[in-house]
Amino acid sequence: MSDYFADLPRIAYAGPDTRDELAYRWYDKDRLVLGKRMEDHLRFAVCFWHSFGWPGSDVFGTGTFRRPWHAGANDAAAAATKRAAAFALFDRLDLPFYCFHDVDVMAEASDIGGFRRAFAEAVGDLERLQAAHGRRLLWGTANLFGHPRYAAGAATSPDPEVFAWAASQVRDALEATHRLGGANYVLWGGREGYETLLNTDVRRELDNLGRFLSLVVEHKHRIGFTGTILIEPKPMEPTKHQYDFDVATVAAFLQRYGLEREVKVNIEANHATLAGHTFEHEIATAAASGIFGSIDANRGDPQNGWDTDQFPNSVEELTLALVEILRAGGFTTGGFNFDAKVRRQSVDAVDLLHGHIGGVDTVARALLAAAALIEDGRLDAFKAERYAGWDGPFGREIAGLDLAAIAQRAVDHGLAPQPRSGRQERLEGIVAATIAGVR
Ligand code: XUL
Ligand code: CO
């Protein structure tokens, strides 16, 4: 088949001063940052669903993109065309990883046997494409939210038959991820929540969700998959309320079901903002709980209250996120997956390049700024000094004491602590100046 990106060049680093719009200004994959190649720090991935699955439809209108593989039914030939186009984009962008849901890569099938066969065929082709194009799988996942059977949830469905269908999809998607050498396996519970409590048994649903996750972990060990299982939090949409609301909720859920050492989180920027948090808040919370895993990079719209999944374009926001990621020690199995889509009017193949180039350069420039902030040391020095009292005589004195004994020390010392400046404006100034100076 003809290459969907035939007229478009392979994107390479050309430096911040280039006028070439189809080039990277900041993403120089071999550049060493804090002793590590940029490509290895960021581990960028392109996702299948937004750029190749979605036809450009919204709730008010049908698809606008007219991609060749959307011209007719989603049969085996259309799915093969789509997969080939996806790998052609990965090559153009020269990014190391990709991500997919089972249904993104396969032909449509109606019954469970046909579904399994169509998926197996797609996985065989992905294995071939990965080898031919030298691309790797950051994570695989199963779509447990699109089909009408999942309208009331998958693992949290009131119907055990739906739970079992979901088990079949996840078993196959997990085994496929293992076979393809995937670094992680993601579970995003888009329908694992409720529309109304009037028809919902929350206790049973949470227990079923906990059991499902335990079964996935058990199977991962049975087949010898060494990647990380990741939960992707989101507070709502499509459900009114999603159980995996945010990182803190997931951390408590994992502890409740004894899975806190087995499962980490995949944090999405736009999901953080929907939950009323900053992106960096979610990363810092995950790191503090020992469950930081991977990132879905995108942005929301400050005026819209939904998941607009736009490509990231704020270096400042990403710098704050990258500072937390670097402080957490960086990625192990995780990476930056662009869970982002071009706007519905951006109908051309070149728009997919512009979207990814903009996102890649935003994150790359933020990495340089974050690394400069770490090397500069003033933020970390201020933080260390701010908590130094805990390592001083009084901090050590109360460390092992009970409440009454601590209270008695306060009285004995006649304590009268005074407020100290948190220097927020100074610290924000350091961040702004560092971003401005980054080359
Ligand atoms: C939906 C979302 C998903 C997950 C994978 O908001 O982020 O695409 O990343 O199922
Ligand atoms: Co996502």
Side-chain angles (χ1 to χ4, degrees):
M1 76 123 220
S2 65
D3 179 351
Y4 183 62
F5 300 96
D7 307 336
L8 298 167
R10 192 179 166 108
I11 309 306
Y13 175 70
D17 300 322
T18 184
R19 299 278 297 166
D20 184 355
E21 293 173 5
L22 294 179
Y24 293 125
R25 286 174 170 65
W26 301 98
Y27 182 59
D28 181 5
K29 67 177 183 175
D30 293 319
R31 176 167 172 183
L32 289 181
V33 180
L34 301 176
K36 194 159 140 185
R37 291 173 64 250
M38 244 188 181
E39 185 179 69
D40 300 332
H41 263 291
L42 298 173
R43 294 167 60 84
F44 283 124
V46 178
C47 85
F48 249 87
W49 51 99
H50 287 312
S51 296
F52 298 95
W54 179 53
S57 54
D58 67 14
V59 282
F60 296 97
T62 54
T64 52
F65 292 155
R66 301 183 312 269
R67 315 258 193 237
W69 52 93
H70 287 145
N74 182 27
D75 56 15
T81 306
K82 187 207 277 187
R83 289 190 299 267
F87 277 79
L89 179 67
F90 309 159
D91 284 350
R92 291 300 187 291
L93 293 168
D94 194 20
L95 300 179
F97 291 101
Y98 74 103
C99 299
F100 70 87
H101 299 86
D102 47 7
V103 302
D104 302 336
V105 296
M106 61 185 271
E108 204 165 315
S110 47
D111 60 89
I112 196 161
F115 189 98
R116 298 195 67 208
R117 279 190 299 280
F119 183 53
E121 182 184 323
V123 172
D125 191 40
L126 290 176
E127 194 168 37
R128 184 188 63 75
L129 286 162
Q130 282 187 191
H133 294 258
R135 307 290 149 191
R136 288 175 286 160
L137 178 61
L138 185 65
W139 48 263
T141 188
N143 180 323
L144 306 180
F145 45 88
H147 192 279
R149 86 174 64 84
Y150 296 123
T156 63
S157 169
D159 302 324
E161 293 82 0
V162 176
F163 184 101
W165 234 100
S168 172
Q169 268 185 263
V170 171
R171 188 251 322 247
D172 289 350
L174 182 59
E175 290 180 2
T177 300
H178 180 39
R179 174 173 160 196
L180 295 170
N184 308 271
Y185 182 84
V186 164
L187 292 131
W188 171 61
R191 305 258 178 211
E192 313 293 21
Y194 61 78
E195 299 302 325
T196 172
L197 288 173
L198 295 175
N199 63 15
T200 303
D201 180 344
V202 173
R203 173 97 210 194
R204 187 189 288 271
E205 292 201 359
L206 285 174
D207 282 349
N208 279 349
L209 191 58
R211 172 152 185 258
F212 194 87
L213 188 55
S214 305
L215 297 175
V216 174
V217 168
E218 202 177 276
H219 196 68
K220 164 198 154 153
H221 291 302
R222 184 168 307 148
I223 64 176
F225 177 57
T226 54
T228 311
I229 304 282
L230 300 170
I231 294 271
E232 184 173 322
K234 187 177 183 181
M236 67 193 99
E237 196 194 345
T239 54
K240 170 192 164 47
H241 177 90
Q242 193 178 311
Y243 292 128
D244 298 328
F245 193 92
D246 60 2
V247 169
T249 309
V250 170
F253 179 85
L254 294 178
Q255 280 164 21
R256 175 166 166 191
Y257 293 98
L259 295 166
E260 69 273 18
R261 279 188 235 293
E262 294 283 356
V263 179
K264 295 187 162 65
V265 283
N266 182 39
I267 299 170
E268 179 163 326
N270 204 170
H271 296 182
T273 49
L274 279 178
H277 303 307
T278 61
F279 186 23
E280 65 271 21
H281 165 94
E282 289 292 79
I283 297 167
T285 303
S289 311
I291 57 169
F292 174 66
S294 198
I295 293 290
D296 267 9
N298 60 19
R299 75 176 203 269
D301 178 292
Q303 281 75 47
N304 293 164
W306 63 87
D307 194 10
T308 60
D309 282 337
Q310 286 164 263
F311 282 91
N313 67 354
S314 165
V315 174
E316 182 176 351
E317 269 175 40
L318 264 298
T319 298
L320 299 175
L322 258 311
V323 165
E324 298 305 328
I325 293 173
L326 291 177
R327 279 178 172 158
F331 292 121
T332 51
T333 60
F336 266 95
N337 167 47
F338 286 106
D339 193 348
K341 60 187 183 221
V342 295
R343 297 303 86 191
R344 187 165 175 262
Q345 296 174 61
S346 303
V347 298
D348 295 331
V350 72
D351 293 312
L352 291 172
L353 290 184
H354 287 305
H356 284 92
I357 292 168
V360 164
D361 270 341
T362 300
V363 176
R365 193 167 173 212
L367 171 68
L368 295 175
L373 284 165
I374 304 272
E375 276 178 329
D376 172 281
R378 280 176 293 169
L379 294 186
D380 286 335
F382 184 78
K383 201 185 268 199
E385 184 205 312
R386 190 158 181 251
Y387 291 89
W390 287 98
D391 301 318
F394 188 74
R396 287 204 305 273
E397 188 183 339
I398 66 169
L401 301 182
D402 65 20
L403 188 73
I406 294 171
Q408 194 54 49
R409 292 296 191 289
V411 174
D412 293 348
H413 285 284
L415 295 181
Q418 298 301 309
R420 286 184 295 141
S421 174
R423 293 275 187 274
Q424 182 167 339
E425 295 75 11
R426 174 190 164 227
L427 302 173
E428 287 170 347
I430 293 171
V431 171
T434 303
I435 291 171
V438 118
R439 286 298 291 179

